[in-house]
Amino acid sequence: DTEPPANNIALHQLTELLKGSVERGEGNSCLIIGPKGSGKTRICNQALLDVSTRPITIRLSGHVQYNDRLAMREIARQVSIQANESLSAAFGNDEDPFAGKPGEHAENDDGDDLNTVLPPTSHLPSLISSLSSLSRPVVILIDAFDLFTGHARQALLYCLLDAVQSCRTGGEGNRGIAVVGLTSRVDVVNLLEKRVKSRFSHRILRTAGMRRVEDWSMLLRECLCTPAGDRHDEPPSNDDNDEQGKWQELWHRSVDKFLNERPFSDILKDIFSLTRDLRVLIRIMTGAILDLTANSPFLSANTVQPHAIAHRNSQYTHVLSTLSYPSICLLIAVQHVRTSGHDAFTFEMLHELFRDQVRTSAAAPVTIGGGGIGMMNAGRAQAFEQLVCIRIFRPVSSPTAGLAGEFIKHRCIIERQELKAAVERLGQTTLKKWLNK
Ligand SMILES: Nc1ncnc2c1ncn2[C@@H]1O[C@H](COP(=O)(O)OP(=O)(O)O)[C@@H](O)[C@H]1O
Ligand SMILES: [Mg+2]
């Protein structure tokens, strides 16, 4: 079993919680917190399969429904598709405030003035309270939950958690409702307003990415060796079966060889050291698999390597080639900060490293503007700002009032290999020497 232990526990807890709502009519809320790609969505899907009856499942995302009115319309739309009931019944008929009758929304999708299509927020409480009177229990999954805390008065979260709470305290004919928030922000509970927080159950489940690169390797084997052909409509003839069996044997052997080869395990380790996000691995491997042909039908380190590189470089190779000389100097200084065991840095730290380099080394980058280095302070601060601006430097914590900019710690997302390639391209010997010091 390749499932990380934390996820197994979370899955178990979530399944119990959903069963409570779906099978016993309870009101429940919880948060699932874990890094990107660590399996939050996956365990939700799994847990939903494990409950006995299918609830009405509403999926929202803070990235898409960036205000409550969009979320309201989406809720109404998903309910009408799944339940064949229009929520407008809750409003004494006349007119459906959630212009989202099945089949109709397609035309409305674009071109329309959003304001005329979106329901007014005054309908929010009645919309949410009508969820518990639907014919089936309701499960609401809220992806990027932290973004919903930025909506005006946290109205939707308030209404949802309030509905959960009033469901818990009884009420005949209630169907049960579960609100599940998914986020990678560990401090998300602190973002809730008091009245919202007090309605939240404070049940928190955690997912964790895989901890060892060997787990990735095992998972890859499982994915690559999933039997194909199960979904064919026509049962294969005996001949086909033979052929397929032979092919499968060949394929499995090639996968084993490929996964155990040194060059590939090095690539895998490289990716793993950059990110634990499984989606990155999946994307890279998908690219490699699409490159297979009838003439070269087996995976090798060589088929994967270009995709791994492309993935690493995709965003920044170009950016690095456009950076000014002082910016490159700062990036080199960052590498030296890292070598000395620190991950975060301030402008002052980088500047000092730069000054040291100038003082002590004949290989100092003295070519800047052809002038004295001592005068570069202004230029370098500007370079720092530029790097912050294009998000190559990112603040470790959010800016605190009263803390001057030069004291805020930053991290750098450029890795040594990328910078090295950029410096090579630049062809400045002094910079090369400083980087390789
Ligand atoms: N233990 C696991 N075994 C197999 N695939 C996994 C596992 N954990 C995550 N994945 C896969 O990794 C990808 C990212 O998982 P996802 O649940 O979308 O992460 P999150 O929602 O936390 O960002 C999905 O394709 C998912 O199927
Ligand atoms: Mg997800």
Side-chain angles (χ1 to χ4, degrees), residues 201-268:
S201 68
H202 288 260
R203 236 178 300 182
I204 292 177
L205 319 181
R206 290 182 195 276
T207 56
M210 295 186 174
R211 277 181 307 181
R212 303 172 316 155
V213 68
E214 291 80 19
D215 296 330
W216 269 25
S217 190
M218 272 163 63
L219 179 70
L220 270 184
R221 184 171 199 293
E222 208 173 285
C223 292
L224 290 170
C225 295
T226 301
D230 284 352
R231 300 202 188 127
H232 284 315
D233 295 331
E234 288 180 24
S237 70
N238 272 345
D239 275 3
D240 281 357
N241 254 344
D242 259 15
E243 287 280 298
Q244 245 182 28
K246 261 187 233 154
W247 164 248
Q248 211 156 33
E249 213 182 295
L250 265 178
W251 173 252
H252 283 197
R253 221 179 306 144
S254 84
V255 168
D256 279 335
K257 177 162 167 287
F258 159 72
L259 289 177
N260 292 323
E261 259 172 12
R262 185 60 191 273
F264 177 70
S265 59
D266 282 348
I267 296 176
L268 199 63

Side-chain angles (χ1 to χ4, degrees), residues 2-4 35-42 210 219 278-279 282:
T2 53
E3 207 72 46
K36 283 180 196 155
S38 62
K40 298 184 292 296
T41 305
R42 187 178 138 92
M210 295 186 174
L219 179 70
L278 259 182
R279 290 173 302 182
I282 291 170

